[in-house]
Amino acid sequence: MTINLILLSLLAYVIGSIPSGLWIGKVFYKKDIREFGSGNLGATNSFRVLGIKAGSIVTVMDILKGTVATLLPFFFQLHVDHHFWLLTGAFAIIGHSFPLFAGFRGGKAVATSAGVILAYAPLLFVAALLIFLLTLKISKYVSLSSMIAALAALLISLFMGDWILIILIACITLFVVWRHRANITRIRNGEEPKIKWM
């Protein structure tokens, strides 16, 4: 059982390491998105550099990385407590942020983390998504909306009574805020780019 979980966790890391934005940019647009915009491999920079269509595809792919990785124990019929699903999901988040296939320089973990929550607690995912979209509609800042959605997910999880989930989301929230520290500075200085498509 332990060996199987280790193997699935490694597989989850590999799945998380798939650099969706990098590969789509290079194959279909002949662009390395690391050389444009923020230089980040995540969905936000994909929107900024490649456009709405490509950005939407990258977002969906990054979410699915987290969802598929979280469900690996289910797919492989490994009969473990559902909390172990969060273990494989966490490895996908690590893979997305520090990808094997992109020099360990990845995205900011928002979409892949959302995918983990989608697999484990779908209603929490829907609530966080609605808060993200509402904040984005009002502020036009993707970075701010991501951080607020993460904080909202943490607050909502406190009422769910699942301490393993709460701990994971707390770690995700801290990590997401830390990864957005440069964005926070730019927002304070009025230098953070706003979206124009919503």
Side-chain angles (χ1 to χ4, degrees):
M1 185 71 72
T2 302
I3 295 298
N4 288 335
L5 279 173
I6 292 173
L7 291 175
L8 288 188
S9 296
L10 291 174
L11 177 57
Y13 170 77
V14 172
I15 291 171
S17 289
I18 297 171
S20 311
L22 178 63
W23 288 357
I24 287 177
K26 283 189 170 183
V27 172
F28 296 103
Y29 297 86
K30 309 303 179 187
K31 286 184 177 181
D32 185 334
I33 65 172
R34 295 173 297 185
E35 299 174 358
F36 301 91
S38 66
N40 191 268
L41 283 182
T44 301
N45 202 41
S46 297
F47 272 104
R48 185 178 297 124
V49 176
L50 305 177
I52 294 177
K53 180 179 178 181
S56 299
I57 293 172
V58 171
T59 300
V60 171
M61 290 181 67
D62 285 351
I63 289 173
L64 288 177
K65 288 192 303 186
T67 302
V68 170
T70 304
L71 293 175
L72 283 176
F74 172 76
F75 293 145
F76 283 88
Q77 298 183 343
L78 191 61
H79 299 294
V80 294
D81 186 279
H82 281 186
H83 287 132
F84 284 102
W85 292 19
L86 295 176
L87 174 66
T88 52
F91 272 89
I93 295 170
I94 294 170
H96 175 76
S97 303
F98 307 102
L100 178 66
F101 306 119
F104 302 100
R105 289 179 51 220
K108 296 181 178 178
V110 177
T112 303
S113 297
V116 173
I117 296 173
L118 173 60
Y120 187 85
L123 292 179
L124 178 58
F125 168 84
V126 171
L129 177 61
L130 291 175
I131 292 169
F132 171 84
L133 293 173
L134 178 61
T135 307
L136 186 60
K137 178 70 174 178
I138 296 170
S139 71
K140 310 299 182 186
Y141 289 128
V142 175
S143 55
L144 178 63
S145 303
S146 299
M147 289 184 282
I148 289 178
L151 287 167
L154 176 58
L155 290 174
I156 295 170
S157 70
L158 294 176
F159 296 95
M160 298 175 65
D162 187 334
W163 287 103
I164 302 299
L165 177 64
I166 292 169
I167 290 170
L168 177 65
I169 294 182
C171 291
I172 290 171
T173 301
L174 289 172
F175 187 64
V176 165
V177 172
W178 180 75
R179 294 282 278 183
H180 283 88
R181 60 197 185 281
N183 303 83
I184 294 171
T185 300
R186 288 196 294 269
I187 291 172
R188 286 176 178 171
N189 297 333
E191 300 169 351
E192 179 77 347
K194 292 186 176 183
I195 64 166
K196 299 177 181 180
W197 44 269
M198 179 182 279

